Amino acid sequence: MTRPMKSPIISLIRLDEPTPQHDGWICTPHGRDSCTRDIVAVAELQTKDAVQPYRVCEAWLTENTRAVAYLAENGYDNR
Ligand SMILES: [Zn+2]
């Protein structure tokens, strides 16, 4: 189950290379228990009072409609 994400993405940065999850470096939307994939990007989400970093795996980038729309419109912010 993916936690619903209501906050808009304000940036999406592709990592230089996929990084295995470790310690506190986990897939934010899927959580430690349901995702063992490598982290491939970091999204910044604008919540009500803060900008929250979201570490995400490749699957999230294709299953999350906001991420798909963001990439279609903007691409990665570091490319
Ligand atoms: Zn994941």
Side-chain angles (χ1 to χ4, degrees):
M1 256 293 272
T2 305
R3 231 176 291 162
M5 186 182 73
K6 300 198 184 76
S7 310
I9 296 171
I10 57 170
S11 79
L12 190 48
I13 307 289
R14 186 85 186 179
L15 300 183
D16 289 338
E17 51 189 43
T19 306
Q21 298 185 46
H22 59 88
D23 303 320
W25 181 259
I26 59 169
C27 181
T28 312
H30 294 136
R32 192 192 302 275
D33 294 335
S34 55
C35 182
T36 57
R37 292 177 287 264
D38 290 351
I39 303 302
V40 298
V42 177
E44 285 187 321
L45 270 52
Q46 182 67 60
T47 63
K48 197 151 64 86
D49 11 65
V51 173
Q52 193 182 5
Y54 245 53
R55 290 175 290 269
V56 301
C57 64
E58 192 76 54
W60 184 84
L61 292 171
T62 57
E63 79 193 12
N64 184 278
T65 53
R66 273 186 207 271
V68 171
Y70 187 91
L71 286 175
E73 193 177 337
N74 308 291
Y76 292 104
D77 289 292
N78 55 336
R79 293 288 157 89

